[in-house]
C-alpha cells in the first residue's frame, strides 16, 4: 500500500455504483497511463479509487468525499487522463482547486501520472502573465486552475 493511503471500512462508504475494481490492471487503463500510475508509486487502488475511477471513466457524475491522504487527487487525475484524446491538442478537462498551492500540487500529480503519455497540463493560477496563460492554453489538454480575484 502506498504511503498516505489508508484503509477505509466498507461501512463508511455509500454508493449507488455497484462495481468495485481492486487492481489497477483490471481497470483497462491506457498502457502508458498504467505505467505512470505504477511509476508514481501506486500499487493497488485505495477504497475511493476502487469505487470512483471507473464511474468517472464511464462518464457518470461522481460526488466523492474522503479524508485527506486517501487518494482523491489520484482518483480524478487517473480518470481524466484515461478520457483524454491525445490527438486533440485543446483543453478537454478542467480541474479546479480552492488555492494556488493545491492547484500546483494537482498539476504535478497529473504530470507525473501522464509522464509516459503525450499530454500537456497547464496551470492557470493567477499572478502569472496573461500571455503565458494564453500560450499554455493553446495546446493543453488538461487545465488546472483556481479562482482569480480582480
Amino acid at each position: 500500500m502506498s504511503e498516505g493511503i489508508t484503509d477505509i471500512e466498507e461501512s463508511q462508504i455509500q454508493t449507488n455504483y455497484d462495481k468495485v475494481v481492486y487492481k489497477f490492471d483490471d481497470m483497462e487503463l491506457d498502457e502508458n497511463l498504467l505505467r505512470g500510475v505504477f511509476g508514481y508509486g501506486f500499487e493497488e487502488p485505495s477504497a475511493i479509487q476502487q469505487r470512483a475511477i471507473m464511474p468517472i471513466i464511464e462518464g457518470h457524475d461522481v460526488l466523492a468525499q474522503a479524508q485527506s491522504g486517501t487518494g482523491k487527487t489520484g482518483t480524478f487525475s487517473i480518470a481524466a487522463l484515461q478520457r483524454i484524446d491525445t490527438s486533440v491538442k485543446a483543453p478537454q478537462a478542467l480541474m479546479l482547486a480552492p488555492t494556488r498551492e493545491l492547484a500546483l500540487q494537482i498539476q504535478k500529480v497529473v504530470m507525473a501520472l501522464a509522464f509516459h503519455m503525450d499530454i500537456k497540463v497547464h496551470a492557470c493560477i493567477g499572478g502569472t502573465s496573461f500571455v503565458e496563460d494564453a500560450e499554455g492554453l493553446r495546446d493543453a489538454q488538461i487545465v488546472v486552475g483556481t479562482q482569480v480575484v480582480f
Side-chain angles (χ1 to χ4, degrees):
M1 185 169 300
S2 297
E3 189 172 316
I5 305 296
T6 58
D7 287 325
I8 304 295
E9 294 195 25
E10 292 287 326
S11 63
Q12 293 176 295
I13 298 172
Q14 296 178 4
T15 182
N16 63 354
Y17 188 79
D18 60 356
K19 296 178 194 168
V20 178
V21 184
Y22 296 100
K23 295 182 183 280
F24 287 114
D25 289 319
D26 295 337
M27 292 184 185
E28 299 181 12
L29 299 175
D30 176 271
E31 179 182 325
N32 289 321
L33 173 55
L34 195 58
R35 288 175 63 201
V37 167
F38 291 130
Y40 188 69
F42 288 133
E43 295 173 9
E44 294 182 357
S46 66
I48 194 164
Q49 292 167 342
Q50 292 170 357
R51 290 158 180 82
I53 291 174
M54 291 310 298
I56 297 170
I57 290 172
E58 292 172 4
H60 297 283
D61 292 333
V62 174
L63 176 61
Q65 179 179 345
Q67 292 181 339
S68 187
T70 57
K72 294 181 299 297
T73 301
T75 299
F76 63 77
S77 298
I78 292 166
L81 287 164
Q82 179 65 25
R83 291 186 55 105
I84 296 296
D85 180 346
T86 57
S87 69
V88 177
K89 303 301 182 192
Q92 299 173 51
L94 174 63
M95 300 175 182
L96 296 175
T99 66
R100 295 175 54 152
E101 293 79 13
L102 184 55
L104 290 171
Q105 180 182 332
I106 292 168
Q107 180 194 29
K108 286 179 183 177
V109 170
V110 175
M111 288 172 36
L113 291 168
F115 184 77
H116 301 284
M117 303 174 77
D118 183 24
I119 290 183
K120 183 174 176 195
V121 183
H122 181 74
C124 289
I125 56 171
T128 58
S129 162
F130 178 79
V131 174
E132 288 177 24
D133 275 343
E135 277 292 313
L137 290 170
R138 185 162 289 126
D139 59 352
Q141 291 112 326
I142 297 180
V143 178
V144 183
T146 189
Q147 177 182 356
V148 178
V149 179
F150 293 98

